[in-house]
């Protein structure tokens, strides 16, 4: 199954015995366009196949509530900011500096040039940052930086690399 998905095979619905967040993310990364539990597949397969055939994403209903809560659920005022500040406080000064540049939208190469680091060193820092923040993507890391109020103004005095 994973081989078919990695090779860019046809869109399809994957049936699983049980679903976990990690397993679901892995299947989606490998190209799955539909994920259902085997136990309830008979109920959901008709609409899931139709959705996938029309270019949509079909997820088992047991996945929708956790996704909704994680991405669209209301957050009490100030809670997200306080949580972000606590997460960012666990970063080293260099990691905070890199996070701020990520928050400004700079790619790894520009961050490396700006801080006189190798791109591989920036990647290593980003892996540690993602782990400490509990995020998986650059966008999520930037969101944490924004909620934590990571200072971007102090970097205005950093040298800008000359074009080659």
């Amino acid at each position: 199954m994973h081989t078919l998905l990695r090779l860019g095979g046809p869109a399809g619905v994957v049936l699983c015995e049980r679903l976990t967040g990690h397993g679901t993310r892995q299947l989606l990364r490998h190209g799955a366009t539909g994920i259902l539990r085997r136990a309830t597949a008979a109920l959901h397969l008709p609409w899931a196949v139709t959705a996938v055939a029309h270019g949509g994403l079909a997820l088992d209903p047991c996945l929708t509530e956790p996704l909704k809560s994680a991405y669209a659920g209301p957050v009490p005022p100030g809670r997200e900011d306080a949580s972000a500040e606590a997460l960012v406080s666990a970063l080293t000064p260099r990691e905070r500096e890199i996070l701020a540049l990520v928050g400004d939208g700079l790619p790894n190469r520009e961050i490396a040039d700006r801080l006189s680091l190798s791109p591989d060193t920036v990647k290593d820092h980003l892996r540690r940052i993602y782990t400490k923040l509990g995020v998986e993507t650059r966008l999520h890391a930037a969101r944490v930086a924004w909620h934590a109020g990571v200072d971007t103004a102090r970097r205005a005095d950093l040298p800008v690399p000359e074009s080659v």
Side-chain angles (χ1 to χ4, degrees):
M1 178 66 70
H2 286 283
T3 304
L4 175 65
L5 294 173
R6 268 194 284 267
L7 295 175
V13 178
V14 178
L15 303 180
C16 302
E17 287 299 320
R18 62 187 174 89
L19 296 173
T20 64
H22 176 74
T24 300
R25 285 189 300 275
Q26 289 298 100
L27 286 169
L28 291 170
R29 281 191 189 113
H30 284 66
T33 53
I35 303 171
L36 297 174
R37 287 180 297 151
R38 191 179 308 269
T40 59
L43 294 171
H44 304 297
L45 209 47
W47 66 261
V49 170
T50 302
V52 167
H54 288 94
L57 178 64
L59 297 177
D60 192 278
C62 77
L63 296 171
T64 57
E65 196 56 43
L67 283 172
K68 187 175 119 185
S69 297
Y71 294 103
V75 177
R79 181 170 173 219
E80 192 163 2
D81 292 349
S83 297
E85 289 169 7
L87 291 170
V88 170
S89 70
L91 301 178
T92 66
R94 178 61 96 183
E95 290 168 345
R96 281 193 295 276
E97 195 170 22
I98 290 172
L99 178 62
L101 293 169
V102 166
D104 285 344
L106 272 67
N108 290 359
R109 169 58 73 187
E110 287 185 42
I111 293 171
D113 291 345
R114 187 96 39 114
L115 300 177
S116 300
L117 300 171
S118 78
D120 288 334
T121 300
V122 171
K123 283 182 191 176
D124 289 340
H125 279 297
L126 284 172
R127 280 188 209 106
R128 286 190 295 277
I129 290 168
Y130 292 176
T131 299
K132 289 179 180 180
L133 297 180
V135 301
E136 295 184 16
T137 67
R138 191 176 199 88
L139 181 61
H140 288 130
R143 182 177 178 194
V144 171
W146 181 77
H147 278 286
V150 173
D151 183 23
T152 59
R154 67 178 171 74
R155 287 188 317 285
D157 60 347
L158 286 176
V160 176
E162 295 178 21
S163 298
V164 179

